[in-house]
Amino acid sequence: MKRLSLSTLALSALAACGNDNTLTEFGQIAGEFQGLVVRSDDAGELPPFDAFATQLDLLVDGPLLVGFIPERQALAALVPFGENAGHISWSTEEKQSLVFRRGVLTSTRGLGDDLMSSEVSGTINALAAGGSSGHTRTYRYLDGNGATETIRMSCTLTSIASPDPSARAFQESCAEGTKKATNTYFVDRGGNIVSSVEYISATVGTIALINLSD
Amino acid sequence: MALAAPNAFAQEQLAFSTNSYGIPGLLDMPTGESFPDAELVTTFSAFSSFSRNTLAFQFSPRLMGAFRYSRLGDFFPDNSALFDRSFDFSAQVLREGQYQPSVVIGFQDILGTGIYQSEYIAATKTFGNDIRITGGLGWGRLGSYNSIGSPFGDRPEIDVGLGGRVNYQQWFRGPVAPFAGVAWRTTDKLTLKAEYSSDAYVQEASNGSFDRNSPYNVGFDYELARGVTASGSYMYGNAIGLQLAFTANPLNPTFPSGQEEAPSPVRPRPTPLEDPESWDPAWAEDPQTVASLKRVIGDALEKQGIILDAITLEPAVARLRIRNNRYRAEAQAIGRTTRILTRALPATVRTIQITSVAEGGIPTAALTFDRADVEQFEFADPQALLNAAQITDAKAVPRPEALPFTSRRFRWSLGPSFAVSLFDPDQPVRAKLGLRLAAEVELSRGVVFAGAIDKTIVGNLDEIERESDSTLPRVRSDIAEYERQGDPSIEYLTGAWYSRPAKDFFSRVTVGYFESMFGGVSGEILWKPIDSRLALGVELNYAMQRDFDQRFGFQDYSVVTGHASAYYEMDNGYNMRLHVGRYLAGDDGATLALGRRFANGWEVGAYVTQTNVTFEEFGEGSFDKGIRITIPFDWITGQPSRNRAQATLRSLSRDGGARLIVDGRLYDRVRDSDAQALENNWGRFWR
C-alpha cells in the first residue's frame, strides 16, 4: 500500500500544478488522468498508474522510477544506468534518459527540447533547510539555432500541505522574466525525494515522478 | 531584446503584414516595419492581371532582401504578358522608441528593366498595442501619383539596353509623392488594413491593362495556420486582390531537436582500490585485449551511426578517427564517441584524441580531451569542456592505425530525383520527376568511385522550345537537347582522390563525367587551417562537353576552366566567397557569393557572376545571379540526419558565367568539422 500512497502523492501534485494558470493544459490532462484513477477505484480495480508500477515491480528487481509526462500522455519506467559525480542517470527502455542530483532533476535526453543541464545546488540546499525565501536554479537548453541558452531563475521553496503524513511536501516557484517553472517535491523522513513533479521545458512541459526504489 | 538596444524603448517593430510585393507593408505600399531576424517569407499575390511571387529574407535584424518574379498581363500591344524578375533591399535605419517611429529606407527593383523601380522612406508608429500608422515618401513608381516636387532633380531614363545593372542613377531622383496607411490588428489572427497609394500605375494605364480608379486600397490578413496567412483586398477602386504568405524561420524549427536515443552517460574511472586490474598498463601489451577493446568500441560506435576508421590504444592515450554518418553536428558525434570511450577504455588511459573524417575520407580536425575533464564537466556548462579541449589539424597529431575496410564503404540508393526550370517566359515553371539510382564505393582511403543513372518518369523539361540563340559556346543553353536525348542518362560517373598533402592543405583530383553536360579532369588544392576563418583554394579543370544523350561520348567543345577562390567566415554565420577565373564558355570573370549559415545547418545566400561577356552576348538576364537555400533534414523532422535539401533560384541557364559542376569541392566538405563548426554546435556535444 506504500506504492498506492506514493502515486496518490504524485497525482495530487499534478492537480496542484493544474491550478497554476501558466500550466492550464497540463492541468486539464492531469485532471482527466485523476478522473480515470477515481473511476478505476470505483470499479474496484487498481488505478493504471499503480497497475503499471506493480507490473514493473514484478519484472524488475532493484531501483525503479516511474515517470509520467501529461503533455504527451506518456508513462514510462526507468532504471538507473550510470552515475558520475553525484549525478545518477536513469533510462527508459526506449533510451530516453533523466538525470538527478540528490533526487532533483538536472537533465533529460531523448525527449526533444531537452533540459540539457542545470545547476540545482540552491534547490538541494533549500530542501535540506526545509524552505527558502530566495535561491537560484539554472536551466540550460539548446535554442532553435542549436546554441546553448542559459536561464537563471530566481526561486522560492515553501512547505505545502501534504496528502500523506509520511512525507513532507514543498513547492518551488521559479521565474525569470516571463518564464516560469513550478516544481513540487515529496520528501520522506530520511530526507529522500520519493515523488516529484518537475518542469523540463516549454515543449515537454512537466514530468511527474515516483521513485519505487526501496 | 529591449535590454540589448541602446535606447531602453527602442525595439524591433515586427511586421503586422506583407504587402502585394511580399515585403513588410500594407496593401501596395511599404511600411517602416521589418520581419523578425532570419524570417524567410514566400508570398503569392495577385490582383487584376498582375501576379507577384516574392521570396524575402531578413538577412540581419536590420537588412532585408527580396527576389520577385512577376507577371504583368496585357502588357504588350498584342495583349501578351510581361514576365519580370526584380530584386529589392531595405534597411531599417531607426527602431521604434517611445516617441520615435520605426523607419525603413527601401529600394525596389534595383536591377534591369526596373518596371517596379522605386525608392522610399517609410515611418511606422505603434499606438496602443494593435494600431500602426504609416507615412512615407516614394520616388520612381511610388512617386507617380500626386507628386509634391522633385527635390533631387530629374529622374534619368533607365538605359535598358545595358540592362542587368544596378540603376543607382535613378535613386531618389524625380518626383516624390507621399503615401500613408493604417493597420489594425483586431485579434491574433485578423488584421485590417487601409492605405492611400502614391503609385499611379502609369504604364499599366497607358497600355490599357489597368484602370486605376482610386488611390485608396483596403484589405485584411487572416492567419490560417502557424506560418500561413491569407489576405484579401479591394485595390484601386477596381480589382479584388488575393494573397497567400508562407513564413518559415530557421531559428524556429518545426520540431524540437533531440528526439534520438539518449547517449550513454560518462562512466567515471574506478579508483585503483576498486579495480586494480583496470589501472594496470599491462593490458596494452596483450594483443588480444587490445583487439577486443577495438572491436567493442567499433561495435558501440556503429550503433550510433559512427564508423570507426582508425584506432590506436596506448596505456595512457587513445587515438581514433571516426566518420559520422548520422548527426548533422559533428560535435554530437564526437560527444557520443567520447562517452562510449569512457565506458570502454581501461582506467590508465588519460587522454582521448578523436579526429573527424569528412566525406570522401578527408581527416579534418582532431579534438584532444583530458579524460578527467570529460568526467568532471559532464553536467556542467558545455563551454567548460570546450575551453579545456584542444582543437588541432588532423595532420598535427599522430595518425592512428587504420582498420581494415569493410562492406560499409559501399553505399547505394534508389530514389526520386527532381529538377526544375524557372523563369522561361514561354512557361515560367517546368519540372521533371525522375528515378535515380546512385552508388558510391570507397576503394581505399580517400579513393571514391561514384555514379548515378537518372530516368525521367514524368515532366515537361524536354518541352523547352527556345532554341539557343547564344553567340557564345553553348555550354548551358542546349539544355533542351540534353533533356530530349538524355533519357535515361548517366548523370555522373567519377573517380576521385582526396588527400591531405600537408598540415592546413587539402587536395582533390576527380576524373570522369562530372555532371550532365561536362566531363574531364578536375584538380583542386585548398588551404584551410582548421581554426581559420579564411580559406584559399585553386581549382583547375579540363572539361569536355558531353554528348546530348549523356552516355559516354563527348562533343568537340573543350575548355580549360578554373578559379582561384577565397572563403571567409564572419561572426554570426555570415560568410563570403569569391571565385575569380575562367568559366565554361571561356569567359573570364568572378563570382561573389554572400550568405548566412545558421549553426543549425540552414543556409540562405545570394550570388552574382560577372564576366567579360557583354550583356548582349549573355542574353536575357544580362548576367548570372541567383539565390541558394539549404534546409537540413534534421531541422524539419527533429530526427538526426546529415541530409539536406538544397534549392537554387536562378535565371534561365545561359552560357556566360557558367561554372563547372563537380562533386566533392573541398571547402564544403571540410567546413562541417572545422573549429568554427565544432564551436558553433558545441551545445550538442552532450546531446
Side-chain angles (χ1 to χ4, degrees), chain A residues 2-3 6-7 48-68 75-81 88-94 96 98 100 103 192-196 207-214:
Chain A
K2 179 189 168 197
R3 294 212 167 85
L6 285 175
S7 70
F49 210 69
D50 277 286
F52 183 74
T54 306
Q55 275 182 356
L56 281 167
D57 211 22
L58 295 173
L59 292 170
V60 182
D61 191 19
L64 190 66
L65 192 64
V66 177
F68 176 65
L75 186 63
L78 297 99
V79 292
F81 81 137
I88 300 176
S89 302
W90 299 69
S91 174
T92 67
E93 203 176 353
E94 283 84 35
Q96 294 146 329
L98 304 175
F100 298 87
N192 305 309
I193 296 174
V194 290
S195 178
S196 62
I207 187 166
L209 295 153
I210 305 169
N211 194 332
L212 296 174
S213 313
D214 290 320

Side-chain angles (χ1 to χ4, degrees), chain A residues 81-84 87 89 94-97 99 107 109-114 116-119 140 142 144-146 148 150 203, chain B residues 250-251 253 256-266 268 343 375 378-382 598-600 683-684 686-687:
Chain A
F81 81 137
E83 181 172 0
N84 179 19
H87 289 79
S89 302
E94 283 84 35
K95 294 267 175 69
Q96 294 146 329
S97 75
V99 180
S107 67
R109 292 291 185 275
L111 300 177
D113 191 20
D114 286 298
M116 293 304 292
S117 63
S118 307
E119 304 296 340
R140 290 191 201 94
L142 292 180
N145 194 22
T148 297
T150 302
T203 315
Chain B
L251 301 174
S257 72
Q259 294 172 74
E260 61 270 28
E261 285 186 355
S264 310
V266 168
R343 303 177 77 79
E375 290 166 351
E378 183 182 10
F379 301 106
D381 187 318
F598 296 85
N600 64 18
R684 290 185 193 269
W686 292 117
R687 168 153 276 174

Side-chain angles (χ1 to χ4, degrees), chain B residues 185-191 221-226 229-230:
Chain B
R185 193 166 59 185
T186 61
T187 67
D188 282 351
K189 292 190 178 299
L190 180 68
T191 300
D221 289 343
Y222 187 77
E223 187 182 287
L224 295 175
R226 187 185 158 206
T229 302

Side-chain angles (χ1 to χ4, degrees), chain B residues 485-652:
Chain B
Q485 298 184 33
D487 185 28
S489 66
I490 299 172
E491 197 186 332
Y492 59 86
L493 184 64
T494 56
W497 175 47
Y498 301 92
S499 178
R500 292 293 317 268
K503 180 173 174 286
D504 302 337
F505 284 90
F506 299 80
S507 69
R508 169 183 63 81
V509 176
T510 310
V511 180
Y513 303 89
F514 304 134
E515 48 148 305
S516 55
M517 298 184 194
F518 283 89
V521 186
S522 168
E524 185 187 1
I525 298 253
L526 179 76
W527 172 82
K528 166 85 178 82
I530 214 71
D531 57 353
S532 165
R533 290 163 176 267
L534 176 71
L536 301 171
V538 183
E539 180 184 295
L540 195 64
N541 314 289
Y542 177 71
M544 296 178 283
Q545 188 160 22
R546 293 178 64 186
D547 279 342
F548 295 137
D549 64 8
Q550 292 165 72
R551 298 202 179 163
F552 297 102
F554 288 104
Q555 302 183 31
D556 286 338
Y557 183 75
S558 66
V559 62
V560 174
T561 168
H563 291 83
S565 304
Y567 311 83
Y568 191 75
E569 298 276 335
M570 291 165 264
D571 281 334
N572 299 319
Y574 295 101
N575 58 67
M576 194 202 77
R577 296 175 180 208
L578 177 67
H579 308 288
V580 180
R582 176 159 295 173
Y583 293 80
L584 281 173
D587 46 336
D588 296 330
T591 300
L592 178 67
L594 283 173
R596 183 172 177 189
R597 189 182 199 220
F598 296 85
N600 64 18
W602 262 79
E603 197 158 7
V604 180
Y607 73 92
V608 290
T609 299
Q610 287 269 19
T611 68
N612 58 355
V613 167
T614 64
F615 292 149
E616 286 82 3
E617 282 177 305
F618 185 91
E620 191 181 322
S622 301
F623 62 92
D624 189 30
K625 52 198 174 288
I627 294 166
R628 285 204 183 97
I629 297 174
T630 303
I631 307 173
F633 278 17
D634 71 336
W635 186 92
I636 302 169
T637 63
Q639 300 294 333
S641 168
R642 288 185 59 79
N643 292 329
R644 52 193 93 178
Q646 265 174 323
T648 303
L649 274 177
R650 60 184 296 176
S651 327
L652 274 174

